[in-house]
Amino acid sequence: MPHVALAHVPAHHLFFPKKLSIWHNDLHGDCVTAEEAFAKACHKPEIFISDAEVEKWAKAHGVYEGATLISVLKWMQKEGFTQSDHTYDDGSHTTVDWTNPAVLKSALYHGPVKIGVAADQLETTCRAHNFKTGWFATGYTEDNNEDHCVSLCGYGTITWLAHQLDTSVPSGIDGSKPGYAMFTWGSIGIIDVPSMVAITHEAWLRTPTTVIV
């Protein structure tokens, strides 16, 4: 797969849909499909895919209890979510070098980036915040157990991101440092760069994120 080209982008950017869901990922292993629903919500105007359609699609493709990212990306290009007399497909997918901040920011300016991560440390963080928007993920160590799919949906300084999410930077965290906004389990939080790199194992940009048929 080709890689995302580098382009000049603003200092900060965020996709923050007004309506979110966990899309069954609290009880089932459909994180890869739930991320697709989140990506559709980042469209302007926002497209909210129902929980019922996410369940229907995931079950029809055998990915309600686990999936590879690339399989779902390929299926979504040809047979996306169907709702309200429209089909919402993905555009073509390209790999993103998540270890290169300039490349990743360039990708995130164009759309949310689908990433595969090791979930243990992230789940501990989100659980401590009751899976509500506004959590902070810092100090993660390297984990090679890729077992979860999330979406990076913005970048900027930690302070700027916190302001957009209507939360405050906890004491002990340097708000001037760069960070990323991340969607998972029905919430959006902030992860610092070293922690994101420590748990990420693949990254994909859809171009465009949504194709309305």
Side-chain angles (χ1 to χ4, degrees):
M1 291 289 179
H3 289 263
V4 174
L6 182 63
H8 177 72
V9 297
H12 47 251
H13 185 73
L14 177 66
F15 294 98
F16 188 12
K18 294 180 180 178
K19 187 175 181 180
L20 296 175
S21 174
I22 202 166
W23 288 294
H24 303 287
N25 196 212
D26 51 341
L27 300 175
H28 298 278
D30 67 329
C31 56
V32 188
T33 308
E35 189 279 337
E36 292 288 337
F38 171 76
K40 302 296 172 268
C42 292
H43 189 269
K44 295 187 183 300
E46 293 181 19
I47 300 166
F48 183 77
I49 303 299
S50 70
D51 288 20
E53 174 58 18
V54 167
E55 179 180 2
K56 177 183 175 183
W57 193 95
K59 286 182 174 179
H61 292 82
V63 292
Y64 200 44
E65 299 298 349
T68 61
L69 277 61
I70 189 62
S71 295
V72 169
L73 286 164
K74 288 179 177 178
W75 285 324
M76 274 285 169
Q77 275 191 268
K78 299 179 179 179
E79 46 189 80
F81 297 122
T82 300
Q83 186 172 280
S84 302
D85 298 322
H86 291 92
T87 298
Y88 301 100
D89 294 340
D90 281 1
S92 60
H93 47 270
T94 51
T95 59
V96 179
D97 181 1
W98 66 90
T99 66
N100 185 322
V103 169
L104 182 53
K105 289 177 182 178
S106 180
L108 283 168
Y109 183 67
H110 293 93
V113 172
K114 187 183 193 79
I115 64 173
V117 301
D120 286 353
Q121 296 169 93
L122 182 61
E123 182 176 1
T124 298
T125 295
C126 293
R127 189 175 298 279
H129 204 70
N130 294 318
F131 297 94
K132 301 296 184 182
T133 289
W135 45 264
F136 289 81
T138 61
Y140 286 8
T141 57
E142 185 175 354
D143 188 340
N144 294 316
N145 181 32
E146 181 183 352
D147 58 357
H148 188 48
C149 177
V150 305
S151 190
L152 292 180
C153 56
Y155 63 87
T157 65
I158 291 175
T159 294
W160 184 85
L161 290 169
H163 180 71
Q164 306 311 304
L165 299 181
D166 195 25
T167 189
S168 300
V169 179
S171 61
I173 295 179
D174 185 350
S176 68
K177 295 290 187 181
Y180 296 102
M182 177 183 284
F183 165 82
T184 187
W185 294 306
S187 67
I188 296 176
I190 299 166
I191 188 167
D192 66 13
V193 176
S195 296
M196 184 277 294
V197 172
I199 63 172
T200 300
H201 298 283
E202 57 180 303
W204 301 89
L205 176 69
R206 293 147 291 208
T207 310
T209 303
T210 303
V211 178
I212 302 175
V213 182

